[in-house]
Amino acid sequence: MQAFTRLNGLVVPLDRANVDTDAIIPKQFLKSIKRTGYGPFLFDEWRYEDVGQPEMDCSNRPIRKDFVLNQPRYQGAEIMLARENFGCGSSREHAPWAIADYGILCVIAPSFADIFYNNCFKNGILPVVLKDEEVDVLFSETQSHEGYKLDVDLEAQTVTTPSGQVFTFEMDDFRKHCLLNGLDDIGLTLQQADKIKAYEEKRKQEAPWLFA
Amino acid sequence: MAKTLFEKVWQQHVVSENDDGSVLLYIDRQLVHEVTSPQAFEGLRIAGRKPWRVSASVATPDHNIPTTGLEHGITDPVAKTQVQTLDSNCDEFGITEFKMGDKRQGIVHVVGPEQGLVLPGMTVVCGDSHTSTHGALAAIAMGIGTSEVEHVLATQTLIQKQPKVMRIHVDGELPQGITGKDVALYIIGEIGTAGGTGYAIEFAGLAIQQLSMEGRMSLCNMTIEAGARCGMVAVDDKTIDYVKGKPHAPTGEMWNKAEAAWRDLHSDADAVFDKEVYLNAADIAPQVTWGTSPEMVVPISASTPSLDDAKDEVQREGWARAFAYMGLKENTPMQAINIDKVFIGSCTNARIEDFRAAAAIAKGHKVAANVKLAMVVPGSGLVKAQAESEGLDKIFTDAGFEWRAPGCSMCLAMNADRLEAGERCASTSNRNFEGRQGAGGRTHLVSPAMAAAAAIQGHFVDIRNWDK
């Protein structure tokens, strides 16, 4: 997995609450058996006027000009600003795959849905939870300043605005460690294989029906 | 020390505790389907890993399966590849799979309990958010992403932080005609789609005890729509009776031992919860969603809200966008809304009790002329066979409904079953998100009886007044 340490990136504001994973990547793209290639279809229904199909060439599709990802000033954005309960709904990891494949490496919101939040860490994306009023400040500054960039530092757990205002965020130690180092957590868990085996032996005595 | 139901099951599954407070949690059962597993199996292959305990995983294809013309197989080549990939992965790694054509095939969340593959007190995961369904059996059941599917395949564990625990009491008798689906939608309307974020929820109270196992599955199924990690209901006689005799349930002496353990799966009297919510069953009317989030829900007797009732500017904008998408105006009586299609099915409402309730309404009637398609999609081959043995299929087809083969179908429209842009649907599924049932499609979530009544009348009606 790609590590995330520090990012100074252009911000795109997606000013909607309860953005669900069906919107992030619609169902027809879930038929793929790959992990890559979802970026062109990120927010497909909001981004294009036609209905996208897997593996189609998106370069000539009619776009919805008013959608933020289509606005010239936000091209190349690496940080997405969002509202509460971002990533709700389906557990599809295709949602963070599409976000990462598009080039977004950090999402900042007042809250995230649990499964999506968890899925981000498996894909080198940093989800940052800031307070409602802090997110309000960032929305307002992003919308009023073209080329607005934020500096996100995972080690320090800070988001710094161009004017030097610093917001701090919470992060659990284990997730932070894995993301900073790009670690594969299956390998880490398998270092505890003896404990898993011992647990199974004990459980087979207590609850043998679970192993039938 | 007194424990909650959640804490009892959680503590029985802790393999080890890490320094940061997270634990390695043992997973008893993983359910697998074709959409969220191919990249996990590929990950195992790339790393040269094998499943830790092959017998803990069971698979069935459901999302992409066609519900008509099965003799032609899957005609969409991309969908076909995905289902074939599941077949070959299960064959390669030795995982039991109920393949297309097997009468045990169906929606994973219908098949798991039906086969006794999910038992009380288990930890259950699946690469599907509606895994919360299985909490109806007092299991800790959680939806996970594909990377975690791979983690569970490789290690039989997950790294987890213990969530907080919320108990939602629904006190008093369940009113006539009110189902687990109505209770679920009412709760989401009360606490919101993020109301359960960070929590495991236990449902308690007389109304929950009165729900059938199918009703409890519908309720727990939609816990994820309230944002919770999982939903649970304590074990009682209904749970024990439901599990007994299921194909993979224990038997004989093993059953006695298991039952004794399961009888302890309830919160202790003085257990402490992080949050308690008290609701009255008497306040619950049949529910209908009007917007594009499950929390945009009202009783059937009510109207769509007024924008002025929104709690803040973000909600007001969300409602305005939902009205525009749904083609509805403020203050519109729900019973005045005409529909184009009806879908009775999904992991929320495709069990035998759901079809009995819908058939009781449809019997002797005809689907209204303005309804282009009313489809009934069983949750599994066994539910289909059971319904047919009771003559329910005949009641539906006589009334003008289509009786289909099992699968996820128009809940998420990955197969050919979908809404066209602008079409309005009374649906027993779980999500009314924009585009969920087809790009531009408009979904209203209801119970099976409410969907059947809407099909007959051509618009939403109050099931409590149905006397025909």
Side-chain angles (χ1 to χ4, degrees):
Chain A
M1 187 185 75
Q2 197 188 331
F4 184 108
T5 49
R6 187 170 181 168
L7 171 69
N8 186 270
L10 186 70
V11 184
V12 57
L14 183 64
D15 198 357
R16 302 186 185 199
N18 298 312
V19 169
D20 60 77
T21 53
D22 273 83
I24 296 172
I25 185 83
K27 83 276 290 168
Q28 62 269 36
F29 305 106
L30 274 51
K31 294 177 187 177
S32 167
I33 58 171
K34 296 183 290 190
R35 272 177 187 263
T36 53
Y38 299 98
F41 308 106
L42 175 69
F43 294 111
D44 197 80
E45 285 177 27
W46 294 348
R47 208 161 139 199
Y48 302 100
E49 288 182 3
D50 60 346
V51 177
Q53 291 305 326
E55 295 178 26
M56 78 193 287
D57 175 10
C58 293
S59 56
N60 291 315
R61 292 177 63 192
I63 60 165
R64 297 183 193 271
K65 293 202 175 80
D66 54 344
F67 184 58
V68 283
L69 286 189
N70 289 329
Q71 293 172 18
R73 61 183 282 195
Y74 299 123
Q75 298 312 300
E78 294 174 290
I79 298 172
M80 177 168 277
L81 197 54
R83 294 289 185 185
E84 65 185 36
N85 202 27
F86 187 83
C88 61
S90 161
S91 63
R92 59 187 71 168
E93 199 163 317
H94 311 67
W97 292 338
I99 288 172
D101 198 49
Y102 178 86
I104 302 280
L105 299 171
C106 172
V107 184
I108 301 174
S111 62
F112 291 88
D114 275 343
I115 304 176
F116 176 84
Y117 183 78
N118 212 18
N119 283 341
C120 284
F121 290 96
K122 315 291 181 185
N123 294 284
I125 301 169
L126 176 66
V128 171
V129 177
L130 292 182
K131 296 187 185 77
D132 266 316
E133 54 273 25
E134 295 170 341
V135 171
D136 282 341
V137 168
L138 297 181
F139 265 105
S140 142
E141 292 190 358
T142 305
Q143 282 154 350
S144 55
H145 298 86
E146 196 160 337
Y148 187 81
K149 286 187 167 185
L150 287 171
D151 189 81
V152 180
D153 185 339
L154 176 55
E155 181 64 56
Q157 295 176 216
T158 56
V159 174
T160 307
T161 70
S163 65
Q165 201 173 359
V166 179
F167 301 125
T168 57
F169 58 90
E170 299 285 313
M171 182 61 50
D172 323 327
D173 292 344
F174 180 72
R175 281 176 165 145
K176 179 175 171 178
H177 173 71
C178 287
L179 199 50
L180 281 173
N181 298 289
L183 296 177
D184 159 18
D185 56 9
I186 295 178
L188 291 175
T189 297
L190 285 173
Q191 291 174 5
Q192 300 197 53
D194 289 347
K195 287 182 184 167
I196 302 172
K197 284 180 190 150
Y199 170 88
E200 284 181 328
E201 288 313 310
K202 175 176 73 87
R203 271 305 264 175
K204 277 178 193 165
Q205 303 303 315
E206 291 167 1
W209 58 90
L210 294 173
F211 296 84
Chain B
M1 202 183 111
K3 291 177 188 172
T4 65
L5 165 60
F6 178 85
E7 288 164 344
K8 287 181 184 179
V9 180
W10 178 273
Q11 288 169 11
Q12 285 172 352
H13 289 86
V14 173
V15 171
S16 64
E17 292 183 38
N18 301 321
D19 296 340
D20 70 342
S22 64
V23 304
L24 198 59
L25 193 74
Y26 191 80
I27 303 301
D28 294 315
R29 177 69 70 210
Q30 172 151 247
L31 302 169
V32 178
H33 65 79
E34 78 277 23
V35 177
T36 56
S37 67
Q39 298 86 352
F41 285 113
E42 185 63 17
L44 285 187
R45 262 192 298 271
I46 290 168
R49 291 173 177 139
K50 294 264 180 260
W52 179 275
R53 183 159 76 88
V54 166
S55 64
S57 293
V58 178
T60 191
D62 53 9
H63 285 61
N64 278 294
I65 296 294
T67 60
T68 51
L70 294 187
E71 62 280 12
H72 306 301
I74 303 175
T75 50
D76 172 350
V78 191
K80 186 173 181 173
T81 299
Q82 197 168 53
V83 172
Q84 286 174 338
T85 302
L86 178 67
D87 292 350
S88 62
N89 282 330
C90 288
D91 292 346
E92 176 186 340
F93 289 105
I95 290 171
T96 300
E97 182 195 5
F98 305 135
K99 293 188 165 80
M100 230 179 118
D102 187 317
K103 65 178 190 239
R104 295 168 296 179
Q105 178 268 329
I107 306 172
V108 278
H109 308 310
V110 174
V111 170
E114 181 177 83
Q115 289 295 321
L117 290 164
V118 174
L119 298 171
M122 273 185 166
T123 44
V124 181
V125 297
C126 175
D128 192 288
S129 58
H130 291 112
T131 307
S132 57
T133 309
H134 309 283
L137 289 115
I140 291 179
M142 300 179 291
I144 55 176
T146 298
S147 294
E148 289 192 327
V149 170
E150 183 183 341
H151 193 282
V152 174
L153 281 169
T155 71
Q156 212 53 51
T157 63
L158 274 181
I159 301 160
Q160 289 279 305
K161 262 239 159 105
Q162 185 168 344
K164 293 179 283 185
V165 189
M166 179 192 309
R167 178 162 58 182
I168 298 181
H169 303 256
V170 186
D171 294 318
E173 298 259 346
L174 201 62
Q176 193 65 30
I178 302 304
T179 66
K181 180 64 161 289
D182 299 300
V183 176
L185 286 169
Y186 178 78
I187 290 171
I188 295 163
E190 290 294 310
I191 70 172
T193 47
T197 304
Y199 287 93
I201 295 179
E202 179 180 343
F203 298 102
L206 181 62
I208 305 302
Q209 290 162 24
Q210 288 180 336
L211 286 174
S212 63
M213 288 307 292
E214 286 90 342
R216 294 175 190 179
M217 286 185 224
S218 302
L219 173 62
C220 289
N221 172 277
M222 292 199 65
T223 318
I224 185 66
E225 289 355 301
R229 250 348 236 147
C230 63
M232 298 175 91
V233 177
V235 166
D236 62 9
D237 290 343
K238 284 182 186 171
T239 324
I240 300 295
D241 292 345
Y242 177 88
V243 174
K244 194 161 196 172
K246 292 281 185 284
H248 291 83
T251 54
E253 194 43 45
M254 186 92 91
W255 168 269
N256 295 336
K257 199 173 173 190
E259 186 187 338
W262 296 341
R263 291 282 180 188
D264 185 49
L265 295 176
H266 54 79
S267 290
D268 294 330
D270 42 358
V272 178
F273 291 81
D274 297 291
K275 186 172 182 180
E276 303 229 36
V277 174
Y278 295 87
L279 302 170
N280 289 314
D283 295 338
I284 308 179
Q287 304 285 305
V288 190
T289 62
W290 60 267
T292 52
S293 163
E295 70 183 15
M296 298 176 182
V297 64
V298 290
I300 180 61
S301 48
S303 298
T304 59
S306 162
L307 289 178
D308 292 338
D309 298 336
K311 66 173 189 221
D312 56 29
E313 201 48 39
V314 173
Q315 185 173 64
R316 188 186 170 94
E317 282 173 26
W319 284 9
R321 200 163 38 240
F323 278 128
Y325 182 86
M326 294 297 288
L328 292 173
K329 294 194 162 52
E330 303 171 74
N331 306 311
T332 305
M334 293 312 293
Q335 301 191 48
I337 299 173
N338 287 334
I339 56 166
D340 304 303
K341 285 185 174 169
V342 175
F343 171 61
I344 301 177
S346 85
C347 58
T348 316
N349 282 128
R351 298 179 183 84
I352 190 66
E353 177 188 275
D354 300 315
F355 299 123
R356 288 178 188 145
I361 298 292
K363 191 169 188 175
H365 293 286
K366 291 284 180 203
V367 169
N370 62 303
V371 175
K372 290 184 255 184
L373 173 69
M375 55 194 294
V376 186
V377 185
S380 71
L382 290 172
V383 170
K384 183 169 186 280
Q386 174 68 29
E388 288 170 356
S389 76
E390 296 178 20
L392 304 183
D393 58 324
K394 186 79 170 47
I395 293 173
F396 286 122
T397 52
D398 284 351
F401 290 82
E402 291 190 15
W403 179 247
R404 298 287 188 92
C408 298
S409 181
M410 205 162 72
C411 174
L412 86 167
M414 270 190 81
N415 68 358
D417 309 332
R418 65 175 65 113
L419 298 180
E420 300 303 324
E423 285 182 340
R424 188 179 300 286
C425 183
S427 179
T428 67
S429 54
N430 38 59
R431 291 191 173 128
N432 51 350
F433 298 157
E434 286 184 28
R436 171 78 179 182
Q437 293 192 290
R442 295 162 171 167
T443 303
H444 295 269
L445 304 175
V446 288
S447 72
M450 285 286 287
I456 303 302
Q457 295 296 324
H459 58 87
F460 294 107
V461 292
D462 190 337
I463 196 70
R464 293 171 300 182
N465 303 329
W466 191 268
D467 56 359
K468 296 166 216 168

mmCIF file of all heavy atoms in Angstrom, chain A residues 86-117:
data_model
loop_
_atom_site.group_PDB
_atom_site.id
_atom_site.type_symbol
_atom_site.label_atom_id
_atom_site.label_comp_id
_atom_site.label_asym_id
_atom_site.label_seq_id
_atom_site.Cartn_x
_atom_site.Cartn_y
_atom_site.Cartn_z
ATOM 1 N N PHE A 86 -20.058 11.314 5.215
ATOM 2 C CA PHE A 86 -19.530 11.026 3.881
ATOM 3 C C PHE A 86 -19.243 9.528 3.751
ATOM 4 O O PHE A 86 -18.703 8.897 4.652
ATOM 5 C CB PHE A 86 -18.237 11.825 3.638
ATOM 6 C CG PHE A 86 -17.717 11.708 2.230
ATOM 7 C CD1 PHE A 86 -18.221 12.514 1.224
ATOM 8 C CD2 PHE A 86 -16.736 10.777 1.907
ATOM 9 C CE1 PHE A 86 -17.755 12.399 -0.081
ATOM 10 C CE2 PHE A 86 -16.263 10.651 0.610
ATOM 11 C CZ PHE A 86 -16.776 11.470 -0.392
ATOM 12 N N GLY A 87 -19.628 8.949 2.603
ATOM 13 C CA GLY A 87 -19.334 7.540 2.331
ATOM 14 C C GLY A 87 -20.330 6.572 2.938
ATOM 15 O O GLY A 87 -20.032 5.395 3.135
ATOM 16 N N CYS A 88 -21.560 7.060 3.209
ATOM 17 C CA CYS A 88 -22.551 6.158 3.810
ATOM 18 C C CYS A 88 -23.065 5.154 2.775
ATOM 19 O O CYS A 88 -22.836 5.307 1.580
ATOM 20 C CB CYS A 88 -23.703 6.956 4.417
ATOM 21 S SG CYS A 88 -24.628 7.949 3.244
ATOM 22 N N GLY A 89 -23.747 4.135 3.283
ATOM 23 C CA GLY A 89 -24.353 3.140 2.395
ATOM 24 C C GLY A 89 -23.482 1.915 2.206
ATOM 25 O O GLY A 89 -22.860 1.424 3.146
ATOM 26 N N SER A 90 -23.437 1.462 0.983
ATOM 27 C CA SER A 90 -22.764 0.219 0.603
ATOM 28 C C SER A 90 -21.305 0.162 1.068
ATOM 29 O O SER A 90 -20.608 1.181 1.072
ATOM 30 C CB SER A 90 -22.829 0.110 -0.922
ATOM 31 O OG SER A 90 -21.875 -0.775 -1.421
ATOM 32 N N SER A 91 -20.842 -1.055 1.389
ATOM 33 C CA SER A 91 -19.464 -1.253 1.858
ATOM 34 C C SER A 91 -18.451 -1.281 0.718
ATOM 35 O O SER A 91 -17.270 -1.438 0.961
ATOM 36 C CB SER A 91 -19.385 -2.576 2.620
ATOM 37 O OG SER A 91 -19.682 -3.663 1.748
ATOM 38 N N ARG A 92 -18.905 -1.145 -0.517
ATOM 39 C CA ARG A 92 -18.036 -1.296 -1.691
ATOM 40 C C ARG A 92 -16.714 -0.548 -1.562
ATOM 41 O O ARG A 92 -16.684 0.673 -1.438
ATOM 42 C CB ARG A 92 -18.800 -0.849 -2.948
ATOM 43 C CG ARG A 92 -19.272 0.572 -2.924
ATOM 44 C CD ARG A 92 -20.182 0.924 -4.109
ATOM 45 N NE ARG A 92 -21.488 0.270 -3.991
ATOM 46 C CZ ARG A 92 -22.546 0.565 -4.738
ATOM 47 N NH1 ARG A 92 -22.462 1.475 -5.683
ATOM 48 N NH2 ARG A 92 -23.691 -0.073 -4.567
ATOM 49 N N GLU A 93 -15.605 -1.285 -1.626
ATOM 50 C CA GLU A 93 -14.285 -0.646 -1.549
ATOM 51 C C GLU A 93 -13.960 0.031 -2.883
ATOM 52 O O GLU A 93 -12.991 0.789 -2.990
ATOM 53 C CB GLU A 93 -13.223 -1.688 -1.158
ATOM 54 C CG GLU A 93 -11.952 -1.066 -0.603
ATOM 55 C CD GLU A 93 -11.084 -2.057 0.161
ATOM 56 O OE1 GLU A 93 -11.643 -2.852 0.946
ATOM 57 O OE2 GLU A 93 -9.868 -2.044 -0.035
ATOM 58 N N HIS A 94 -14.810 -0.249 -3.878
ATOM 59 C CA HIS A 94 -14.666 0.431 -5.163
ATOM 60 C C HIS A 94 -14.758 1.950 -4.975
ATOM 61 O O HIS A 94 -14.228 2.690 -5.804
ATOM 62 C CB HIS A 94 -15.754 -0.043 -6.126
ATOM 63 C CG HIS A 94 -15.892 -1.548 -6.192
ATOM 64 N ND1 HIS A 94 -16.350 -2.299 -5.130
ATOM 65 C CD2 HIS A 94 -15.629 -2.424 -7.183
ATOM 66 C CE1 HIS A 94 -16.356 -3.584 -5.467
ATOM 67 N NE2 HIS A 94 -15.930 -3.690 -6.707
ATOM 68 N N ALA A 95 -15.431 2.403 -3.901
ATOM 69 C CA ALA A 95 -15.543 3.850 -3.659
ATOM 70 C C ALA A 95 -14.167 4.453 -3.353
ATOM 71 O O ALA A 95 -13.733 5.363 -4.072
ATOM 72 C CB ALA A 95 -16.552 4.126 -2.548
ATOM 73 N N PRO A 96 -13.448 3.971 -2.336
ATOM 74 C CA PRO A 96 -12.086 4.516 -2.158
ATOM 75 C C PRO A 96 -11.154 4.188 -3.327
ATOM 76 O O PRO A 96 -10.258 4.986 -3.629
ATOM 77 C CB PRO A 96 -11.596 3.874 -0.853
ATOM 78 C CG PRO A 96 -12.571 2.830 -0.494
ATOM 79 C CD PRO A 96 -13.857 3.150 -1.182
ATOM 80 N N TRP A 97 -11.366 3.064 -3.990
ATOM 81 C CA TRP A 97 -10.522 2.779 -5.176
ATOM 82 C C TRP A 97 -10.735 3.863 -6.224
ATOM 83 O O TRP A 97 -9.782 4.323 -6.856
ATOM 84 C CB TRP A 97 -10.870 1.405 -5.799
ATOM 85 C CG TRP A 97 -10.503 0.238 -4.932
ATOM 86 C CD1 TRP A 97 -9.576 0.219 -3.927
ATOM 87 C CD2 TRP A 97 -11.063 -1.090 -4.985
ATOM 88 N NE1 TRP A 97 -9.538 -1.046 -3.355
ATOM 89 C CE2 TRP A 97 -10.430 -1.861 -3.987
ATOM 90 C CE3 TRP A 97 -12.036 -1.703 -5.786
ATOM 91 C CZ2 TRP A 97 -10.733 -3.205 -3.761
ATOM 92 C CZ3 TRP A 97 -12.335 -3.048 -5.572
ATOM 93 C CH2 TRP A 97 -11.694 -3.789 -4.558
ATOM 94 N N ALA A 98 -11.972 4.285 -6.423
ATOM 95 C CA ALA A 98 -12.260 5.313 -7.433
ATOM 96 C C ALA A 98 -11.682 6.662 -7.009
ATOM 97 O O ALA A 98 -11.121 7.396 -7.820
ATOM 98 C CB ALA A 98 -13.770 5.426 -7.654
ATOM 99 N N ILE A 99 -11.806 6.967 -5.717
ATOM 100 C CA ILE A 99 -11.295 8.245 -5.206
ATOM 101 C C ILE A 99 -9.772 8.316 -5.378
ATOM 102 O O ILE A 99 -9.230 9.296 -5.891
ATOM 103 C CB ILE A 99 -11.713 8.427 -3.726
ATOM 104 C CG1 ILE A 99 -13.229 8.710 -3.668
ATOM 105 C CG2 ILE A 99 -10.924 9.542 -3.049
ATOM 106 C CD1 ILE A 99 -13.815 8.718 -2.270
ATOM 107 N N ALA A 100 -9.094 7.224 -4.990
ATOM 108 C CA ALA A 100 -7.634 7.187 -5.106
ATOM 109 C C ALA A 100 -7.202 7.194 -6.571
ATOM 110 O O ALA A 100 -6.251 7.880 -6.952
ATOM 111 C CB ALA A 100 -7.083 5.956 -4.389
ATOM 112 N N ASP A 101 -7.931 6.444 -7.387
ATOM 113 C CA ASP A 101 -7.578 6.346 -8.804
ATOM 114 C C ASP A 101 -7.747 7.705 -9.497
ATOM 115 O O ASP A 101 -7.009 8.037 -10.415
ATOM 116 C CB ASP A 101 -8.483 5.289 -9.466
ATOM 117 C CG ASP A 101 -7.938 4.796 -10.801
ATOM 118 O OD1 ASP A 101 -6.742 4.452 -10.843
ATOM 119 O OD2 ASP A 101 -8.693 4.772 -11.793
ATOM 120 N N TYR A 102 -8.687 8.500 -9.026
ATOM 121 C CA TYR A 102 -8.897 9.844 -9.576
ATOM 122 C C TYR A 102 -7.754 10.771 -9.160
ATOM 123 O O TYR A 102 -7.435 11.729 -9.860
ATOM 124 C CB TYR A 102 -10.230 10.401 -9.052
ATOM 125 C CG TYR A 102 -10.535 11.800 -9.516
ATOM 126 C CD1 TYR A 102 -11.174 12.024 -10.733
ATOM 127 C CD2 TYR A 102 -10.182 12.898 -8.725
ATOM 128 C CE1 TYR A 102 -11.450 13.312 -11.160
ATOM 129 C CE2 TYR A 102 -10.461 14.190 -9.146
ATOM 130 C CZ TYR A 102 -11.087 14.397 -10.363
ATOM 131 O OH TYR A 102 -11.365 15.674 -10.783
ATOM 132 N N GLY A 103 -7.154 10.483 -8.005
ATOM 133 C CA GLY A 103 -6.036 11.317 -7.536
ATOM 134 C C GLY A 103 -6.291 12.031 -6.221
ATOM 135 O O GLY A 103 -5.479 12.835 -5.772
ATOM 136 N N ILE A 104 -7.445 11.737 -5.602
ATOM 137 C CA ILE A 104 -7.741 12.333 -4.294
ATOM 138 C C ILE A 104 -7.076 11.457 -3.224
ATOM 139 O O ILE A 104 -7.326 10.248 -3.164
ATOM 140 C CB ILE A 104 -9.263 12.376 -4.025
ATOM 141 C CG1 ILE A 104 -10.000 13.158 -5.114
ATOM 142 C CG2 ILE A 104 -9.566 12.905 -2.615
ATOM 143 C CD1 ILE A 104 -9.975 14.646 -4.996
ATOM 144 N N LEU A 105 -6.245 12.080 -2.375
ATOM 145 C CA LEU A 105 -5.508 11.301 -1.375
ATOM 146 C C LEU A 105 -5.955 11.595 0.049
ATOM 147 O O LEU A 105 -5.524 10.946 0.996
ATOM 148 C CB LEU A 105 -4.009 11.599 -1.501
ATOM 149 C CG LEU A 105 -3.431 11.219 -2.870
ATOM 150 C CD1 LEU A 105 -2.022 11.741 -3.023
ATOM 151 C CD2 LEU A 105 -3.460 9.705 -3.049
ATOM 152 N N CYS A 106 -6.820 12.601 0.188
ATOM 153 C CA CYS A 106 -7.274 12.991 1.520
ATOM 154 C C CYS A 106 -8.692 13.539 1.403
ATOM 155 O O CYS A 106 -8.980 14.308 0.484
ATOM 156 C CB CYS A 106 -6.317 14.061 2.061
ATOM 157 S SG CYS A 106 -6.864 14.826 3.592
ATOM 158 N N VAL A 107 -9.580 13.099 2.299
ATOM 159 C CA VAL A 107 -10.941 13.638 2.346
ATOM 160 C C VAL A 107 -11.141 14.238 3.733
ATOM 161 O O VAL A 107 -10.845 13.589 4.742
ATOM 162 C CB VAL A 107 -12.010 12.546 2.090
ATOM 163 C CG1 VAL A 107 -13.405 13.168 2.050
ATOM 164 C CG2 VAL A 107 -11.733 11.786 0.789
ATOM 165 N N ILE A 108 -11.621 15.465 3.775
ATOM 166 C CA ILE A 108 -11.860 16.147 5.056
ATOM 167 C C ILE A 108 -13.362 16.341 5.214
ATOM 168 O O ILE A 108 -14.012 16.876 4.315
ATOM 169 C CB ILE A 108 -11.156 17.524 5.087
ATOM 170 C CG1 ILE A 108 -9.646 17.354 4.883
ATOM 171 C CG2 ILE A 108 -11.460 18.264 6.401
ATOM 172 C CD1 ILE A 108 -8.872 18.672 4.759
ATOM 173 N N ALA A 109 -13.927 15.889 6.335
ATOM 174 C CA ALA A 109 -15.372 16.028 6.569
ATOM 175 C C ALA A 109 -15.635 16.066 8.068
ATOM 176 O O ALA A 109 -14.788 15.654 8.868
ATOM 177 C CB ALA A 109 -16.109 14.840 5.936
ATOM 178 N N PRO A 110 -16.830 16.521 8.474
ATOM 179 C CA PRO A 110 -17.168 16.515 9.906
ATOM 180 C C PRO A 110 -17.416 15.099 10.426
ATOM 181 O O PRO A 110 -17.268 14.843 11.618
ATOM 182 C CB PRO A 110 -18.454 17.337 10.000
ATOM 183 C CG PRO A 110 -18.713 17.898 8.646
ATOM 184 C CD PRO A 110 -17.871 17.169 7.665
ATOM 185 N N SER A 111 -17.829 14.170 9.551
ATOM 186 C CA SER A 111 -17.983 12.769 9.961
ATOM 187 C C SER A 111 -17.999 11.886 8.727
ATOM 188 O O SER A 111 -18.308 12.335 7.623
ATOM 189 C CB SER A 111 -19.285 12.572 10.755
ATOM 190 O OG SER A 111 -20.403 12.878 9.967
ATOM 191 N N PHE A 112 -17.633 10.621 8.951
ATOM 192 C CA PHE A 112 -17.626 9.624 7.882
ATOM 193 C C PHE A 112 -18.449 8.426 8.322
ATOM 194 O O PHE A 112 -18.550 8.144 9.518
ATOM 195 C CB PHE A 112 -16.195 9.117 7.622
ATOM 196 C CG PHE A 112 -15.284 10.139 7.012
ATOM 197 C CD1 PHE A 112 -14.551 11.006 7.823
ATOM 198 C CD2 PHE A 112 -15.155 10.244 5.642
ATOM 199 C CE1 PHE A 112 -13.706 11.959 7.271
ATOM 200 C CE2 PHE A 112 -14.307 11.189 5.070
ATOM 201 C CZ PHE A 112 -13.578 12.055 5.890
ATOM 202 N N ALA A 113 -18.985 7.689 7.352
ATOM 203 C CA ALA A 113 -19.602 6.406 7.667
ATOM 204 C C ALA A 113 -18.477 5.424 7.993
ATOM 205 O O ALA A 113 -17.408 5.473 7.385
ATOM 206 C CB ALA A 113 -20.417 5.911 6.481
ATOM 207 N N ASP A 114 -18.720 4.545 8.961
ATOM 208 C CA ASP A 114 -17.675 3.656 9.504
ATOM 209 C C ASP A 114 -16.948 2.806 8.467
ATOM 210 O O ASP A 114 -15.724 2.719 8.483
ATOM 211 C CB ASP A 114 -18.310 2.663 10.499
ATOM 212 C CG ASP A 114 -18.427 3.252 11.890
ATOM 213 O OD1 ASP A 114 -17.755 4.252 12.177
ATOM 214 O OD2 ASP A 114 -19.212 2.690 12.688
ATOM 215 N N ILE A 115 -17.709 2.126 7.625
ATOM 216 C CA ILE A 115 -17.062 1.162 6.713
ATOM 217 C C ILE A 115 -16.185 1.905 5.710
ATOM 218 O O ILE A 115 -15.047 1.528 5.447
ATOM 219 C CB ILE A 115 -18.094 0.273 5.987
ATOM 220 C CG1 ILE A 115 -18.996 -0.458 6.997
ATOM 221 C CG2 ILE A 115 -17.393 -0.741 5.086
ATOM 222 C CD1 ILE A 115 -20.119 -1.288 6.361
ATOM 223 N N PHE A 116 -16.720 3.006 5.179
ATOM 224 C CA PHE A 116 -15.938 3.801 4.231
ATOM 225 C C PHE A 116 -14.656 4.313 4.891
ATOM 226 O O PHE A 116 -13.563 4.259 4.315
ATOM 227 C CB PHE A 116 -16.772 4.974 3.695
ATOM 228 C CG PHE A 116 -15.992 5.878 2.800
ATOM 229 C CD1 PHE A 116 -15.847 5.570 1.452
ATOM 230 C CD2 PHE A 116 -15.358 7.018 3.288
ATOM 231 C CE1 PHE A 116 -15.093 6.385 0.615
ATOM 232 C CE2 PHE A 116 -14.596 7.835 2.459
ATOM 233 C CZ PHE A 116 -14.475 7.518 1.127
ATOM 234 N N TYR A 117 -14.787 4.828 6.098
ATOM 235 C CA TYR A 117 -13.640 5.374 6.848
ATOM 236 C C TYR A 117 -12.539 4.322 6.950
ATOM 237 O O TYR A 117 -11.369 4.576 6.664
ATOM 238 C CB TYR A 117 -14.136 5.797 8.234
ATOM 239 C CG TYR A 117 -13.095 6.458 9.111
ATOM 240 C CD1 TYR A 117 -12.748 7.786 8.915
ATOM 241 C CD2 TYR A 117 -12.483 5.749 10.144
ATOM 242 C CE1 TYR A 117 -11.799 8.403 9.734
ATOM 243 C CE2 TYR A 117 -11.534 6.360 10.961
ATOM 244 C CZ TYR A 117 -11.192 7.687 10.753
ATOM 245 O OH TYR A 117 -10.255 8.290 11.552
#
